[in-house]
Amino acid sequence: MYNLLDEEWQPVLVADTGSVEPVGLLQLLTEADRYADILVEVPTQRPALYRQLLLPFLLDALRGQLPADADAWVELFTCGKFTSEQRAGIRQYAREHRSLFDLFGPTRPFAQVPGLRTAKDETKPAATLVATAALGNNVPLFSSRTDGDELRLAPGMAARWLMHTHCWDTGAIKTGVVGDEQASKGKTTGNPVGPLGHLGVVMPQGRTIFETLLLNLSFKKRVLPRDLPQWRRGDTTDHPCATPSWQQRPPTGPLDLMTWQARRVRLVPECDTDGGWYVARAVVAAGDRLELTPDDEPHTAWVVDLSTTVHHRQRDEEDEPEARSATVGTAVKRPLRHVVGRSGWRGLHALLAFAHAPEVPDRPDPKRKPTRLHQTTQLLMSLAEVRGELDPEYPLQLDLTGLTYGAKLGTIEDAFHDQVPLPLAALRHDGPVRAALLEAVLHAEELAGAVNRLAGDLRRAVGADPVPPLAWQQAGERLLALLDPLVLALLRDLRKVDDDEDACDARLTRWEEAARRAAWQVAEDLLHNETPGIVSGRTVRMRDGEERTFRLSSAESAFRGALRGILRRATAPASTATTTA
C-alpha cells in the first residue's frame, strides 16, 4: 500500500546543489553520498530516523560487509560512498524483506501491531503521535492548532512521527488494549518515557548522509546473530514486538536497542478524495520497557557519581559457580542530560571527557577529590582512535537533542537542540586543542560568574538583594549569549591548527581578548547605573556575621581583579569605564 523502500516519503538536501529532493529509503541509502542531510519537522526526529530505520537497516543488511576494524573504517570513510558490493547487499536485503517496510500493510505494518485495538474499538487523533501538536493537557506554546482541529498526516510525516513516538513519547498512563495482560481497567500505568527521553542525545554529523551513517556506526561493535531489528522480530521470536503484549527486559544488542518499540501503535490510514493516503487517527498503547540504559548506548555521554556506589558480589575464578567473593562497589553511572537554555558548547567538558584526561584545566585544588566525573560517548571514543588518519580540518558537527518532560511525564515541557562544530584534534586527550577548548569553556563560565558578582554587589549597594542563582535575569546569562558566537568561531578556527601548540595559543589569546571586550560590554551597562546612593554605598551584614560595605568603586575594582585572574593571556586595556568615587 505504501512501502517506505520505494515511496518518495523522506525529503533530503542534495549536497551539490542545495536543493530538496524527496526519496525512498532504498534510494536514500544507496545514494547516501549525494545527500547532505535529511529534512525533518523537528530536530528530535533526526536521531529517531537514524536509530529506528537507517542505521539498523545497514547493520542488518550488511552483516559481514561493514568495517571490522579502524583501518577498514578509515578506508571506507575516505572513499566517500558505499562500495558496489555494499549497494548490492542493500538492494538484496530490500528484496528479501520488502513486505516488512509497508507502512499500512495488513499483516506486518512497519513499526506497528496489526489489528491493535481497545475493548471499545476507540482510536485517538493523530496528534497523539505529534509532540508539537495540542492534545488534552499537552498545549504547546505558539501552536496554531487547537485540540479540536483534525490533524491529517501525510504518510511520510506519519512515518517520521511514528518513529519519533517510539523514541521520545511521553510516559505515565497509556490506553489499555486487547491482548495486553498487564492492562488494568482499560489502561496501563507506570510507563516510562521513550528510551531517548532519558538521554542527552549526541549524534556526530558529517558532510553527507553517508559520512553521518559511518560516524554513527562504531567499528568496535559487533552484531550477534540473535540480535534483530524490530521488523524482523514480529510475533515469532523470543522478544516479539508486533503483538499487544509487552515486556520489561534488557536489549539483546544494538539492533534491538536502536529499534526499541517503546509503544504499541497502529496507524489508521484513510483515503482523501484524490485517492491519496493520510493518517488522522491512531491507537497508541504501552510498549516494551528498558530495564536500564545499557552501558554500550552509543548516543549519550555519561555522569559517573563517585559518591554513590552499587555493591554486588563477584565470583572468584577458582571458586565453584555458586561461590562468591567479597562485595565490590561500583560507582553509579547514568546518562548525561542536556540542560535546556544552555548552549551545547557549555557541555564540552563532558563530551571531551576521555579516560585519564583531566576534565578541567588547572584544577585549583588537586588534593580535593571530585564527587563525580564524566565520560564521553562511545562513538567519540571510537572516532578518537582514527582521527589521526583523517583530514584535521574535517568539518565534524555534533547534533545535540533532548526533551524535558512534566512532573508526571505526561507532557513535554521543553526541547533542547544545538549543533556544535568540533575540531578532530580536540579528540586527542592530551593535545593542545582539547586543553584550549576546555580552558575557553571554563573561562566563559568564570566570566559569567564575575559579571553576576558585579551585578550582585551593585544591587547590595542600593539596598536590594542579588538576583537568585540560576535565574534567567542574571547578567551572566547575557554575557554567555554574547560569548556564544565567539566560542563557535573559536571551535571552527581550531580546526586549522591540528596539534600546533603555538597556533593554538595564539587563537586562544585572540578569543580571550574578544571575551574581555564582551565582559566589559555587559559590565559597563551595570556600572553606568544612576541609582541614588550607589556611589556612597551601603553596609550589609553577611550570613557569616561580617559587615561589608558595597559601593560602585569597590564593585568595579573587584570585577577588574576577577578579569585579570581569569583572562591571563589578554593584556589589552580593561575598559574605558570610569567611576565617580
Side-chain angles (χ1 to χ4, degrees):
M1 293 174 67
Y2 195 92
N3 200 294
L4 300 179
L5 292 170
D6 309 313
E7 299 284 352
E8 296 178 343
W9 63 278
Q10 177 56 52
V12 293
L13 187 67
V14 180
D16 292 339
T17 64
S19 59
V20 177
E21 179 180 329
V23 297
L25 175 60
L26 193 54
Q27 182 179 346
L28 191 157
L29 292 177
T30 55
E31 301 179 24
D33 55 292
R34 288 188 53 228
Y35 307 121
D37 197 7
I38 58 175
L39 302 182
V40 291
E41 281 80 26
V42 292
T44 45
Q45 281 185 353
R46 182 174 287 104
L49 263 67
Y50 272 96
R51 287 175 62 102
Q52 283 279 322
L53 184 57
L54 304 183
L55 293 170
F57 189 104
L58 286 179
L59 280 172
D60 202 31
L62 300 181
R63 291 181 188 242
Q65 297 186 57
L66 289 173
D69 55 38
D71 291 339
W73 188 93
V74 170
E75 182 179 358
L76 181 58
F77 189 83
T78 53
C79 177
K81 61 182 179 181
F82 290 117
T83 66
S84 57
E85 292 80 7
Q86 289 169 332
R87 290 195 295 272
I90 292 171
R91 294 188 185 97
Q92 177 62 28
Y93 184 86
R95 284 192 293 270
E96 293 175 357
H97 303 290
R98 174 165 296 278
S99 63
L100 304 181
F101 295 93
D102 190 337
L103 187 64
F104 304 136
T107 57
R108 294 284 293 277
F110 177 79
Q112 300 164 70
V113 177
L116 187 72
R117 65 182 185 88
T118 67
K120 298 181 179 179
D121 286 328
E122 300 165 313
T123 60
K124 288 189 174 182
T128 306
L129 305 168
V130 180
T132 57
L135 179 70
N137 59 355
N138 182 33
V139 185
L141 287 175
F142 312 118
S143 174
S144 59
R145 184 180 297 274
T146 69
D147 193 7
D149 296 328
E150 183 183 52
L151 178 61
R152 292 189 175 188
L153 302 178
M157 189 179 293
R160 287 188 289 276
W161 283 116
L162 170 65
M163 289 181 266
H164 189 276
T165 296
H166 284 301
C167 292
W168 298 100
D169 192 36
T170 57
I173 298 174
K174 295 297 172 185
T175 302
V177 291
V178 176
D180 178 5
E181 300 86 357
Q182 302 182 72
S184 176
K185 298 181 180 179
K187 59 186 179 181
T188 307
T189 59
N191 294 281
V193 299
L196 294 191
H198 298 289
L199 314 180
V201 175
V202 181
M203 264 194 63
Q205 277 193 287
R207 295 167 296 191
T208 66
I209 291 178
F210 168 81
E211 291 180 350
T212 299
L213 288 167
L214 252 63
L215 289 169
N216 287 272
L217 291 174
S218 174
F219 53 83
K220 291 186 171 184
K221 196 64 182 175
R222 299 291 176 267
V223 179
L224 301 176
R226 61 189 293 263
D227 184 22
L228 299 173
Q230 55 85 6
W231 54 82
R232 290 184 60 195
R233 285 190 283 118
D235 56 3
T236 60
T237 60
D238 293 337
H239 303 303
C241 60
T243 65
S245 60
W246 52 271
Q247 308 172 57
Q248 180 168 328
R249 60 180 180 84
T252 57
L255 291 174
D256 186 17
L257 177 63
M258 285 192 287
T259 64
W260 193 262
Q261 300 292 277
R263 299 292 178 260
R264 298 293 187 255
V265 183
R266 178 172 66 90
L267 303 179
V268 182
E270 301 178 55
C271 269
D272 57 25
T273 55
D274 297 327
W277 293 104
Y278 69 90
V279 174
R281 310 290 298 181
V283 179
V284 180
D288 293 337
R289 301 180 184 181
L290 278 173
E291 287 186 348
L292 50 83
T293 302
D295 288 347
D296 57 356
E297 164 59 59
H299 288 116
T300 188
W302 302 87
V303 178
V304 183
D305 189 348
L306 303 178
S307 62
T308 306
T309 57
V310 175
H311 295 282
H312 62 276
R313 306 289 288 182
Q314 187 180 49
R315 290 189 179 93
D316 285 333
E317 294 182 1
E318 299 178 356
D319 289 340
E320 295 296 327
E322 294 79 9
R324 305 284 178 171
S325 70
T327 300
V328 177
T330 304
V332 173
K333 179 180 175 182
R334 65 180 186 277
L336 178 65
R337 303 283 297 276
H338 301 307
V339 179
V340 173
R342 290 179 51 176
S343 298
W345 57 263
R346 294 176 67 184
L348 277 175
H349 65 287
L351 298 178
L352 298 179
F354 298 96
H356 311 301
E359 289 188 29
V360 179
D362 303 325
R363 185 181 295 277
D365 186 2
K367 295 182 180 180
R368 183 181 177 184
K369 294 183 179 180
T371 58
R372 70 176 192 172
L373 297 174
H374 294 95
Q375 182 179 324
T376 190
T377 73
Q378 285 202 348
L379 292 172
L380 288 182
M381 285 192 284
S382 296
L383 189 57
E385 294 188 22
V386 299
R387 67 151 196 97
E389 304 299 321
L390 304 177
D391 179 2
E393 295 189 29
Y394 179 78
L396 176 67
Q397 290 262 119
L398 299 183
D399 190 70
L400 313 178
T401 48
L403 290 181
T404 301
Y405 300 88
K408 295 184 179 180
L409 306 180
T411 59
I412 294 174
E413 286 192 345
D414 213 335
F416 177 95
H417 177 246
D418 202 0
Q419 289 189 321
V420 177
L422 187 67
L424 286 179
L427 300 178
R428 176 184 161 188
H429 75 276
D430 58 350
V433 172
R434 177 183 181 275
L437 289 180
L438 294 183
E439 185 175 330
V441 172
L442 174 63
H443 289 174
E445 299 289 352
E446 290 176 336
L447 287 173
V451 168
N452 286 336
R453 287 192 296 275
L454 172 64
D457 289 351
L458 294 176
R459 286 177 63 86
R460 287 190 176 100
V462 296
D465 291 329
V467 175
L470 303 180
W472 66 269
Q473 302 98 326
Q474 284 198 319
E477 292 301 315
R478 181 187 166 199
L479 173 59
L480 288 168
L482 293 176
L483 293 177
D484 186 70
L486 302 180
V487 175
L488 295 180
L490 175 67
L491 284 162
R492 297 186 182 95
D493 201 19
L494 286 174
R495 287 173 174 163
K496 304 172 184 177
V497 306
D498 199 9
D499 290 329
D500 187 332
E501 292 190 24
D502 291 338
C504 188
D505 193 66
R507 283 161 171 79
L508 194 57
T509 299
R510 290 202 297 268
W511 180 86
E512 287 198 3
E513 292 168 350
R516 178 185 287 274
R517 291 192 293 270
W520 273 110
Q521 180 179 339
V522 177
E524 286 175 344
D525 287 344
L526 298 171
L527 291 168
H528 292 163
N529 191 331
E530 303 297 336
T531 305
I534 196 171
V535 174
S536 57
R538 295 176 186 271
T539 300
V540 178
R541 183 178 295 277
M542 307 302 289
R543 290 183 178 180
D544 59 4
E546 179 185 355
E547 289 189 347
R548 289 182 57 190
T549 300
F550 294 90
R551 59 173 61 92
L552 178 62
S553 59
S554 60
E556 180 183 348
S557 177
F559 180 71
R560 290 178 182 273
L563 289 196
R564 286 194 297 270
I566 297 169
L567 303 176
R568 299 184 181 93
R569 288 180 172 81
T571 57
S575 172
T576 59
T578 58
T579 61
T580 55

